[in-house]
Each structure stands twice: as C-alpha cells, then as structure tokens.
Amino acid sequence: MARIEFDNVRHAYPPPPGQEPVYALKEVNQVWEDGGAYALLGPSGCGKTTLLNTISGLLTPSEGRISFDGEDVTHLPTSQRHIAQVFQFPVVYDTMTVYDNLAFPLRNRGASEGVVAARVEEIAAMLDLTDRLKKRASGLTADGKQKISLGRGLVRDDVNAILFDEPLTVIDPHLKWQLRSKLKQLHQQIGVTMIYVTHDQVEALTFADKVVVMYDGAVVQVGTPVELFNRPNHTFVGYFIGSPGMNVLPVTLDGGQPVFHNHLLGTTYPAGADLDGKLEIGVRPEFVRFSDDGIPVEIDKVEDLGRYQVVTALHEDETIKMIVGEDERIPAESPKIAFDPDFTRIYHNDWVIGEQAS
Ligand code: ADP
Ligand code: MG
C-alpha cells in the first residue's frame, strides 16, 4: 500500500502531423492518501482514463513526477508498480475457466496453489461466482465477465492501489447497485487505496470518502460529497453535482453588489477582487424561493418528484431552476423569486471568490 503523489503532472498525446499538442492532463497536483476510497468524477473526455493510466504506468506522463511513498515511479513499468486495474470492458481469457481467470494474477506472481485456492474462493464468494468457477469464461454474459475482471483486480493482496475505470458500465442497473455496495464494503475490510472513475455523480458520492472532480484536463475540486455540494469552488462542480445542478447566472456590479438584470442581489462582492472577465453568481435550486419583493419570472415547467417539485422559471433569457416543497404553493400570478444571500456565491472566470458563508 502506498501514498500516491502527483507533482505537476501533465500529459499530451502525440498530435496529428502539423498540429500543436493538446494537453489531456493540464497540470495535476494531487495526493492520494494511503487507504483512501476516492472517486474520480468528470464528464467524458476530461482526462480520467489518462490520469488513471499514469498511476498504473500504462502511460508515462509527458511532464511531472509521480511517487509512491516518496519513491519516484514516473518511469517504472507497470509490473513494478503493484497496481491492479479494472477496465470499462471485461478483460478475460475466454478459453480459461472462471477459476483460472481469477487465479491468473496470483499464479503470475508465483503464489502457491494453496494461497491461490483460498483467495480465489474468497473473491468468488464475494462476487457470487462460486458455482461458476469450473465453467469456461466464454459461456458467461457480459455481466459475468465483468465480475471476473473485478475479481482479477481484487484477488491480489499485495497491491499499492486498485484502480477501477468505469467498471460497471456494462453491468445491469440492479447488479450495479449491488456491486458498488460490495466494493465499498470490501474497501472497509481490506483498506487498500481505491480510485473509482465514473461520470455518474451518484456512483461517485456513494462509493467515495473523497471525490476528485475533473474538468477539461484539470482537477477542479477535491472534497467530501457534502463539501462539494455546499461549497463548489468552480461553476462546473456546482453544475455537475446536484440534481438539478447549481444555477449559474451572469451578473454585473453596482457599488460592490452583484446585479442580475437590473435586480440588486444581497450578496456583497469582496473589495479589491479582480473585475476583468466573466462574473457570475451560483445558487443551488434548493436556495431559490418565491418572494413577493423578488425578481419577476415566468413559470416554464413544474415537475412533481413526490417529496418536492422542480420548477423551471424564466427571467429575460435566463433559466432558473428551483426546488420547492411538495405542499408549497406556486404563485399563479406574477411570481417573483429571490436567491438566499447566504447560499449565493460569486464566481469570477468560473472560480469562486471571497469568503461567502457555507
Ligand atoms: P475520459 O476517461 O475522462 O473520458 P480520456 O482520458 O480518455 O478521458 O481522454 C482525455 C482526452 O485525451 C480526450 O480529449 C481524448 O480524446 C484524448 N485521448 C485519449 N486517449 C488518446 C490517445 N490514445 N491518443 C490521442 N488522444 C487521446
Ligand atoms: Mg475514460
């Protein structure tokens, strides 16, 4: 097991002839504490797989340093890093039995057949594969094959970390939930560092103690699920986490206070902060409410989700989402809304500024 550290890691894939390289990882400085359960969350194409592959050594970053417990591993081959990696699609040997597939990573490292049997049986039981151990992998469904891949990732007990790259993509929804809880349970039992890549916030928030949010080749925030919800450092985090995500609305300034389409908001802009560039406020739908002296809106849509309703309101050409209680009345005439100033943050070029209340 190891503490994994990234120092100024950047990576550009070789560009097509005549083109400038584009950095898939822009600059990553990140510590993965030994024994942590991390989710790496971000949209497709933001660099999650690239980052994971630099940890396992499938990829050497173009710049920067990666260390395990202080030892530089940037140029070490995968075989010397002791990392288990589970990919998005099953990697199994079709002609081998399920047992032999699970045994492979252990036998490969010279484990005795006694150790192999004990570990394989334990992992198979955990993944409900016990009654299929003697079958050939080729006869299994995609679900079954991916369970073998998970098992192959989990079977060694000498790894520095286990990396999961969207491993439940091919698994059906019911089993998905089951396997995710199993992984979490397993993390609590064995305590090895796990990094779980996903683009699904629910998956990330249920698996991880710490969520690392990536956007466009960079880590934009690391935090507990609660921190990410309450204090998004970047508009993307606010927008990507939460359902619906945070409202991000353009503002101007008047005497130090943000103004949204001629309506002065009760949040103060910190004196001395930079004024060049894009200025926005971020307010979650949970903190927008109806208020008689607020901003006039048109109601575009009301979705009844049982315990609450999601209201889509329009002001000029801006859309504002609100979450209101199931019994709360939606004004039929001249509805007006207000943003709770304690939960409204100001973002300058997408990054939060000042010390607003949490
Ligand atoms: P994610 O896993 O978050 O979907 P990736 O790490 O796969 O993102 O990709 C990040 C960026 O790098 C994307 O723009 C992708 O097109 C590019 N990329 C990924 N792999 C390669 C490759 N082998 N060669 C060139 N570009 C790549
Ligand atoms: Mg990927």
Side-chain angles (χ1 to χ4, degrees):
M1 306 221 277
R3 177 178 192 269
I4 300 171
E5 191 165 354
F6 276 51
D7 284 313
N8 299 316
V9 171
R10 304 179 81 204
H11 185 71
Y13 291 101
Q19 286 183 29
E20 289 291 305
V22 177
Y23 280 86
L25 290 181
K26 286 189 173 148
E27 184 177 312
V28 180
N29 290 289
Q30 172 70 31
V31 171
W32 315 84
E33 293 295 349
D34 192 8
Y38 292 93
L40 189 57
L41 175 69
S44 178
C46 72
K48 304 181 297 296
T49 296
T50 304
L51 190 153
L52 223 54
N53 289 346
T54 64
I55 297 179
S56 60
L58 288 175
L59 198 64
T60 304
S62 11
E63 294 163 42
R65 179 180 188 268
I66 297 171
S67 59
F68 292 179
D69 283 336
E71 186 203 343
D72 189 342
V73 300
T74 320
H75 299 281
L76 275 192
T78 48
S79 58
Q80 288 175 36
R81 296 200 192 192
H82 306 290
I83 297 284
Q85 191 167 4
V86 179
F87 301 93
Q88 196 165 3
F89 299 101
V91 179
V92 296
Y93 299 106
D94 267 338
T95 55
M96 287 188 191
T97 60
V98 173
Y99 186 100
D100 289 340
N101 264 285
L102 293 177
F104 192 84
L106 297 171
R107 287 180 175 149
N108 212 13
R109 283 163 190 82
S112 73
E113 281 305 309
V115 169
V116 170
R119 285 296 291 170
V120 168
E121 274 155 32
E122 190 183 339
I123 295 297
M126 216 187 65
L127 295 169
D128 291 326
L129 287 170
T130 306
D131 57 356
R132 282 176 238 170
L133 281 172
K134 296 206 178 86
K135 293 212 170 100
R136 274 187 193 213
S138 58
L140 271 66
T141 59
D143 279 2
K145 287 186 183 175
Q146 188 63 349
K147 285 211 261 179
I148 301 178
S149 293
L150 282 168
R152 285 159 49 105
L154 297 168
V155 77
R156 287 172 63 192
D157 60 2
D158 62 342
V159 293
N160 282 319
I162 309 178
L163 314 180
F164 301 95
D165 195 350
E166 313 215 28
L168 305 183
T169 309
V170 296
I171 305 271
D172 85 52
H174 168 68
L175 196 60
K176 221 181 221 179
W177 185 87
Q178 234 180 19
L179 284 177
R180 200 169 59 217
S181 339
K182 278 220 167 111
L183 286 179
K184 173 119 194 148
Q185 206 183 341
L186 196 86
H187 176 263
Q188 281 155 357
Q189 278 167 23
I190 63 175
V192 65
T193 311
M194 292 189 181
I195 305 176
Y196 186 103
V197 165
T198 177
H199 62 268
D200 178 340
Q201 57 164 315
V202 177
E203 260 189 23
L205 302 183
T206 50
F207 173 76
D209 304 328
K210 279 265 173 80
V211 180
V212 177
V213 185
M214 276 189 85
Y215 174 64
D216 197 18
V219 171
V220 286
Q221 191 167 0
V222 183
T224 63
V226 172
E227 284 164 352
L228 296 176
F229 184 85
N230 286 341
R231 302 187 62 86
N233 281 346
H234 189 277
T235 52
F236 176 75
V237 177
Y239 165 80
F240 201 63
I241 290 175
S243 182
M246 185 173 78
N247 294 293
V248 179
L249 303 165
V251 289
T252 53
L253 279 186
D254 184 0
Q257 264 183 296
V259 176
F260 172 61
H261 285 274
N262 295 322
H263 299 274
L264 203 58
L265 306 176
T267 308
T268 308
Y269 188 83
D274 191 355
L275 296 182
D276 288 340
K278 187 169 64 166
L279 210 54
E280 289 161 317
I281 54 151
V283 56
R284 291 203 174 273
E286 288 81 351
F287 304 114
V288 183
R289 61 185 197 291
F290 290 109
S291 162
D292 289 341
D293 53 359
I295 302 162
V297 291
E298 260 175 59
I299 305 293
D300 181 47
K301 200 163 65 177
V302 179
E303 292 159 88
D304 188 347
L305 298 183
R307 283 169 44 218
Y308 59 90
Q309 315 170 70
V310 176
V311 176
T312 306
L314 305 173
H315 179 80
E316 306 282 337
D317 51 356
E318 304 294 343
T319 300
I320 302 136
K321 298 270 188 187
M322 325 171 51
I323 289 182
V324 301
E326 59 181 323
D327 299 326
E328 203 175 322
R329 203 178 59 83
I330 294 164
E333 267 177 47
S334 324
K336 291 184 183 139
I337 60 165
F339 308 133
D340 184 338
D342 288 341
F343 295 95
T344 302
R345 294 203 167 69
I346 306 175
Y347 292 86
H348 177 247
N349 290 337
D350 289 317
W351 292 95
V352 76
I353 51 162
E355 279 295 318
Q356 280 99 37
S358 58

